Amino acid sequence: MNLRSCFLLLLINVTQFAFAQKNKAIHVTYKWDESPVIHQLSSEMTNFPATYILHHRTLELRMDAEPHSYFTEHKILRINTNAGIEKYNKVYIPMHGGRQLLSIQVRAIDPSGKVTNLKKENLKELENVDGFGNYRIFAVEGLTIGGEMEYLYTTKESPQVYGREIFQDEIPVIESKFELVFPDKFVFTTKQYNGLAKPVTGSYDETRRSITVSANAIPALLEEEYAAHDASKMRLDFKMESNGRALTGISWQSISQRFVTNTYESGAATKVKKFLKALNLENKSELEKVQGVEKYIKTNFTIKRSGHDAYEDTKSVIENHVGSERGILRLYMSCWEALDLLPELVLCSNRFKGMMDPDFSSPHDISDVIFYFPNLDKYLTPDTPYMRLGAAPDNLASGNALFVRYMVSANKALYLGHTFRDIQPLSHTHNDVGVHAVLNFQNNLDLPEVKQRNFWQGYRATLYRGVYHYRNAQEKEEFIREVTLSGIDDVTVKKRIIEGDDMNLSFDPEHYFNVTTEYTAQSLVEKAGEDYLIAVGKIIGKQSELYQEKERKLNIEFASISDYNHEIVLNVPTGYTFSGLEAIKINNELRDGEKVLMRFYSDYTLEGNKLTIKVNEVYKVLKVEKKDYVAFRDVINSAADFNKVVLVLSKIAE
Amino acid sequence: MLSINMYKIYIPGLLLTLQPIFLCAQNNIDSEAVYLRKSTSLNIDINDGVLEIVEHNLSEKIFYKNFEKHAHESVYYSDFDPVINLDAQTLIPTGSNYKKMKVSTIETKDIVQPGIFYGGYKRKDFVYPMLMNGAIGRLEYAKKITDVHLLSPFYFNEDIKVISAQFSVTFPSSVILKYKLFGENNNKVIFKEISHANDITYTWTLADVPPLDIEKNAPSRPYTSPHIILYVDSYELKGNKKRILSDVSDLYRWYDGLVKLIPTHDQTQLKHLVTDLTKQALTDTEKIRAVFQWVQQNIKYVAFENGMAGFVPRSAADVYTKRYGDCKDMANLIKEMLMMCGIEAYHTWIGTRSKPYTYQDVPTAVADNHMICSVRTSEGFIFLDATNPFLSYGNPSSMIQGKEALIGLGTDKYQVVKVPVVKRSNNLRVDSLTVELDKIGLKGTFSSWLSGYKKDDFEITQLKAELHNDRKNIRDFFTVGNNNLGIEKLRISGLGNPNLPASVYFDFAQPGYYKSVGDKMYINLNLNKSLPGEKVDTALRKQSVEQDYCFEDRTLTVFTIPDGYTLTYLPDNISKSWPEFGITSNYRRDKNTIIVETIVYMDYLYLGRDKFPSWNEFLQQLSSIYQQSVTLTKSI
């Protein structure tokens, strides 16, 4: 959701105390080296596609006739491989929020020292790129392997009273510096994360103060599977505490309060009354009211992901049945007001991008806003059309969320208070997922007939219903095939039944999304002379595997909660017997004391001619510390091992 | 846990950003929305001796359900076809009539397309308001066509069903127009001609047009979607005939005029480079190779295609300095560099395989979308396409195989030559494995030798792996065994050198894999069981199957029989071939080893519907070969 703008608008007033600054802006005097030379780097530094030799940034808040922030960024990168050129030669400078480019210099230095400057006509402008706003773009000219690219630019923008600087990348950084400069009357506070060096605060000159972080030799942070990579980079968050005359501190309370008053639209509740009346909700329970409103809006309104004002105004949203994420959020708020319901607004973070810090308030990590209905103990996700009242999205669960209480009185939204709480993920007992399959060998030993039912509950059911609903015919077919028959080549499907695909079933996490398939697949049976090898392990679908060739760096962040329960039944044909059954038995688990957090367990029973294989693979938590990585990997890889289970079907000796 | 759990929901409005042209198909049986009509009409006038063209578009889409998916609409344009007016509204059913509701918010956006750094393409973006069952979205807009050479094709179909599709053009009788219909069902298009006092109207109508099919590995949309390409042959002006696109010579004359606009810049530095590159080269072939490879390796693909920059190459000296360019920049640079060595080289226009047209069909800019450089040798032309940095010298890029090249030989001199399809024997992958048992499963050595497009594919995979920090790429590319493969002592050579094949070597350990029961041991010696495609549902599949190139995979596996075991079952040898593909699998015993030789080849670029039964039979055969295990029994 495009939230930053709505916080900013409110915060700008804290700097409306303009006074003339006599000193020169820093960017005016910041220069790059007129005769650059290629830097000497050690070989371990060049063992990546590229290397940051220098990354300097200065953000100066100035109180000239009008207050502005000036951001100067200076980068020097060594290019080590072709991939390094491909990845770094195209530069996009974001220009949203009325940012102006004051100056820019770009050059490449080849290994012999020859300098190629960017031709001004090749600096281009992109406007209103979907979801990203405006950009200035260029491709570095004359860039070669072993050479360096360097650019230096300054932008002027509205006062930045809070912000974030990232210091770490997928490639190493040799020298990095960030300098925040502001009039000495002002007070800023900062917090560093993920091992970044401590900032130094002091006088920049007689009238200015600065906060500086210098960090050298920052190691590359490579992506790892099952990890919150972005949230793990070294970074500095900063914000203004005081403008010298008043404490303007950005606190969780002020953020919550502003969010409520800013999102609430006075008088909008009367505008929703007409359509609410048609929904006949008057004598209904709270649950029925909320579900009724959600179902109606999600069926009849279209979300336009845009920052355009027209999509935010409740009147226009109701008239057009079209709104931005913010417009739709307001529409819901108006409905709750009209129905006298009092949900809490929940400001949340995407676990994979970064978590809100209760000890350092900053709007940066607020990625989503949802509603929480305390009486129902249920969440409503307004901007995701396929979700229904119940659990919060799993990427928002299991972390700090800011629950904001408010009420409406005399056409005003009143902030009542806020608390940080965990959004509890939907328990594994509501995330039953799996496949029940019966393999019949009666007609053909080397081509068994398989009847299987794949089922999904909870998060998966909700997601898959949505995917199914929004896809086109051929895509639906591909999707169903992928989630039911992955890992089995050469399938001939004879019959398929899909049940439970109505998105409104997602109101109840008990409901299943089911796909029943009847098929044959030659690859399930291998032949060796008179014996048959049955690849039963393939029935559970292609499993992911984990390889960690370097030391694990990041904690494990798991995508979702699941409880897989598979059952495979094989009817032993007359005159034949199965052997090799012991390979079915696998048991690996990750525990926290007595508590099983994750587990893979498979076993079998043989009764008469009926062989039944049962698999339970459960992931009850979303986060695991990296010290437990090996046990975690063993559980994950157990499923890949089960994939390999093959049973031998041979004639009973006479 | 399942490896495919990260599904994203793509709402069509978002999808459009990534795929601006090709909309997606949907089920017609239970329609969510249908186009009642879509029409485009062109008005051609002669003003001050110049043709002026305005394109009027009208569409009416009726909505039934799933509004979120169908409500988003976009109109695409560029400097060549600016939108001059646009009006959109929803017609809301009110029982007997409709209430009009105008779209009040229309946003203008720059489009970022994959592969084009700066394209100058834009889009008008809006959402139909107040949708309900039976509401109609009505869109009307006009565009000015700024260059008579650049008329767009008209497609009769859409992502959803179209009840009535109509294309028309009204033009003065002094103008001669030509057109050609393409795609399936185009014989059902009804053509009408009406003459007025001073002008003529042509109309083409197609009713009940089924939605566009999106199928895996299908050729591009123009192969099957019914569409019409209209172009101006010529017009009469004061008694003189002014030719526009009467035949290929006119198209060439226009193109040749555009490359004559390439600015001249000082080439001193470039000349130094060429002298340096070719000082060791004795023959012309060596020189061409040296120049081509330098451009391949040193000029990165970055495309600026705004306005005429989409047609006129940048100067060779400019591209040399910048070290990047698009296809035509690279083609022109190669041409200039070769000319410096005294080798005649030619600008060459070509349509990639996404364009199913010949220049004879349509002598217009619709026929092509790419530029390369050609050189005449004693064996015919060779085609130099440096946009693929890994392409072996002498090979055309796979995307232009079998296509016509329009080679510019000089003012008014050109030749249309067909680019060859590269033989499968040039695109080889040869794997050799030695395999033995150890405590945990199998262990052994793997080596692979790759040539031609097979090698290109591997290089591209390696580059992507480096770009995305993918550490599974070797396992995924080569597929040895089934799961949890351990790799050690990895060595790769030949990459970055287009003169050499690639070779890859590693030691592997494969836990499990074989099956031991009682005295018997079963081992499937087809360690790579990946199939070259999927079975086709002959009842449902509508389009041909396309593949990038012909190839042959050979595998030689040598397995050492462990001590204490004797071989008790060896699968049968099988060899079967069809005109487009084939398989051979041979097992033999040699002392204490089993040797398995497998050859799989694919000899087609397009597989028509009539070939699907034999394709399925081939896959069935291949599967049954891959399902064969060897049996060993404990010696007594």
Side-chain angles (χ1 to χ4, degrees), chain B residues 169-186:
Chain B
V169 54
T170 299
F171 56 99
S173 43
S174 57
V175 175
I176 297 175
L177 293 182
K178 281 188 181 159
Y179 65 89
K180 195 168 167 70
L181 285 156
F182 294 91
E184 291 180 347
N185 286 327
N186 69 40

Short mmCIF file of all heavy atoms in Angstrom, two decimals, chain B residues 169-186:
data_model
loop_
_atom_site.label_atom_id
_atom_site.label_comp_id
_atom_site.label_asym_id
_atom_site.label_seq_id
_atom_site.Cartn_x
_atom_site.Cartn_y
_atom_site.Cartn_z
N VAL B 169 -11.37 0.75 -43.96
CA VAL B 169 -10.51 1.86 -44.37
C VAL B 169 -11.23 2.65 -45.47
O VAL B 169 -11.80 2.07 -46.39
CB VAL B 169 -9.11 1.36 -44.83
CG1 VAL B 169 -9.23 0.30 -45.93
CG2 VAL B 169 -8.24 2.50 -45.31
N THR B 170 -11.21 3.95 -45.32
CA THR B 170 -11.80 4.83 -46.34
C THR B 170 -10.68 5.68 -46.92
O THR B 170 -9.91 6.30 -46.16
CB THR B 170 -12.90 5.70 -45.71
OG1 THR B 170 -13.91 4.84 -45.19
CG2 THR B 170 -13.51 6.63 -46.74
N PHE B 171 -10.57 5.70 -48.25
CA PHE B 171 -9.40 6.34 -48.86
C PHE B 171 -9.78 6.92 -50.22
O PHE B 171 -10.72 6.44 -50.88
CB PHE B 171 -8.27 5.33 -49.01
CG PHE B 171 -8.64 4.09 -49.78
CD1 PHE B 171 -8.30 3.96 -51.12
CD2 PHE B 171 -9.36 3.07 -49.18
CE1 PHE B 171 -8.64 2.82 -51.84
CE2 PHE B 171 -9.72 1.93 -49.90
CZ PHE B 171 -9.36 1.80 -51.22
N PRO B 172 -9.06 7.95 -50.65
CA PRO B 172 -9.37 8.55 -51.96
C PRO B 172 -9.10 7.54 -53.07
O PRO B 172 -8.23 6.68 -52.94
CB PRO B 172 -8.37 9.72 -52.06
CG PRO B 172 -7.83 9.91 -50.70
CD PRO B 172 -7.93 8.63 -49.98
N SER B 173 -9.84 7.67 -54.16
CA SER B 173 -9.68 6.68 -55.23
C SER B 173 -8.31 6.77 -55.91
O SER B 173 -7.90 5.86 -56.62
CB SER B 173 -10.80 6.81 -56.25
OG SER B 173 -11.03 8.17 -56.53
N SER B 174 -7.57 7.84 -55.63
CA SER B 174 -6.23 7.94 -56.21
C SER B 174 -5.18 7.14 -55.41
O SER B 174 -4.02 7.08 -55.78
CB SER B 174 -5.81 9.40 -56.27
OG SER B 174 -5.86 9.96 -54.98
N VAL B 175 -5.63 6.54 -54.30
CA VAL B 175 -4.70 5.76 -53.47
C VAL B 175 -4.92 4.27 -53.77
O VAL B 175 -6.05 3.81 -53.90
CB VAL B 175 -4.94 6.03 -51.97
CG1 VAL B 175 -4.06 5.14 -51.10
CG2 VAL B 175 -4.69 7.50 -51.65
N ILE B 176 -3.83 3.53 -53.92
CA ILE B 176 -3.94 2.08 -54.09
C ILE B 176 -3.51 1.40 -52.78
O ILE B 176 -2.41 1.65 -52.28
CB ILE B 176 -3.08 1.58 -55.26
CG1 ILE B 176 -3.58 2.22 -56.56
CG2 ILE B 176 -3.13 0.05 -55.37
CD1 ILE B 176 -2.73 1.91 -57.77
N LEU B 177 -4.41 0.58 -52.26
CA LEU B 177 -4.10 -0.13 -51.01
C LEU B 177 -3.94 -1.61 -51.30
O LEU B 177 -4.57 -2.14 -52.21
CB LEU B 177 -5.24 0.03 -50.01
CG LEU B 177 -5.50 1.42 -49.45
CD1 LEU B 177 -6.64 1.36 -48.43
CD2 LEU B 177 -4.24 1.97 -48.78
N LYS B 178 -3.14 -2.27 -50.50
CA LYS B 178 -3.05 -3.73 -50.58
C LYS B 178 -3.27 -4.29 -49.18
O LYS B 178 -3.03 -3.61 -48.17
CB LYS B 178 -1.67 -4.14 -51.09
CG LYS B 178 -1.53 -3.99 -52.59
CD LYS B 178 -0.21 -4.59 -53.03
CE LYS B 178 -0.02 -4.42 -54.53
NZ LYS B 178 1.40 -4.53 -54.89
N TYR B 179 -3.67 -5.53 -49.13
CA TYR B 179 -3.86 -6.15 -47.82
C TYR B 179 -3.71 -7.65 -47.94
O TYR B 179 -3.78 -8.21 -49.04
CB TYR B 179 -5.25 -5.82 -47.26
CG TYR B 179 -6.39 -6.39 -48.08
CD1 TYR B 179 -6.89 -7.67 -47.80
CD2 TYR B 179 -6.96 -5.67 -49.13
CE1 TYR B 179 -7.93 -8.20 -48.55
CE2 TYR B 179 -7.99 -6.20 -49.88
CZ TYR B 179 -8.47 -7.47 -49.59
OH TYR B 179 -9.48 -7.99 -50.34
N LYS B 180 -3.49 -8.27 -46.81
CA LYS B 180 -3.43 -9.73 -46.77
C LYS B 180 -3.93 -10.20 -45.42
O LYS B 180 -3.66 -9.59 -44.39
CB LYS B 180 -1.99 -10.19 -47.00
CG LYS B 180 -1.89 -11.68 -47.35
CD LYS B 180 -0.49 -12.03 -47.85
CE LYS B 180 -0.27 -13.53 -47.90
NZ LYS B 180 -1.02 -14.23 -48.94
N LEU B 181 -4.68 -11.29 -45.46
CA LEU B 181 -5.21 -11.87 -44.22
C LEU B 181 -4.33 -13.01 -43.75
O LEU B 181 -3.80 -13.76 -44.56
CB LEU B 181 -6.63 -12.41 -44.46
CG LEU B 181 -7.72 -11.35 -44.58
CD1 LEU B 181 -8.90 -11.87 -45.36
CD2 LEU B 181 -8.16 -10.89 -43.19
N PHE B 182 -4.16 -13.12 -42.43
CA PHE B 182 -3.35 -14.19 -41.85
C PHE B 182 -4.11 -14.86 -40.71
O PHE B 182 -5.10 -14.32 -40.22
CB PHE B 182 -2.05 -13.62 -41.28
CG PHE B 182 -1.13 -13.06 -42.32
CD1 PHE B 182 -1.21 -11.73 -42.68
CD2 PHE B 182 -0.19 -13.86 -42.93
CE1 PHE B 182 -0.37 -11.20 -43.64
CE2 PHE B 182 0.66 -13.35 -43.89
CZ PHE B 182 0.57 -12.02 -44.25
N GLY B 183 -3.59 -15.98 -40.29
CA GLY B 183 -4.15 -16.67 -39.13
C GLY B 183 -5.26 -17.63 -39.51
O GLY B 183 -5.58 -17.80 -40.69
N GLU B 184 -5.83 -18.25 -38.48
CA GLU B 184 -6.87 -19.24 -38.72
C GLU B 184 -8.23 -18.57 -38.87
O GLU B 184 -8.44 -17.48 -38.37
CB GLU B 184 -6.86 -20.26 -37.59
CG GLU B 184 -5.60 -21.08 -37.66
CD GLU B 184 -5.49 -22.13 -36.58
OE1 GLU B 184 -6.27 -22.07 -35.61
OE2 GLU B 184 -4.61 -23.00 -36.72
N ASN B 185 -9.13 -19.26 -39.54
CA ASN B 185 -10.49 -18.78 -39.76
C ASN B 185 -10.55 -17.53 -40.61
O ASN B 185 -11.57 -16.85 -40.64
CB ASN B 185 -11.19 -18.45 -38.43
CG ASN B 185 -11.58 -19.71 -37.72
OD1 ASN B 185 -11.91 -20.71 -38.37
ND2 ASN B 185 -11.52 -19.70 -36.41
N ASN B 186 -9.48 -17.16 -41.28
CA ASN B 186 -9.55 -15.91 -42.02
C ASN B 186 -10.40 -16.04 -43.29
O ASN B 186 -10.79 -15.06 -43.89
CB ASN B 186 -8.17 -15.30 -42.27
CG ASN B 186 -7.35 -16.11 -43.24
OD1 ASN B 186 -7.87 -16.62 -44.23
ND2 ASN B 186 -6.06 -16.21 -42.96
#
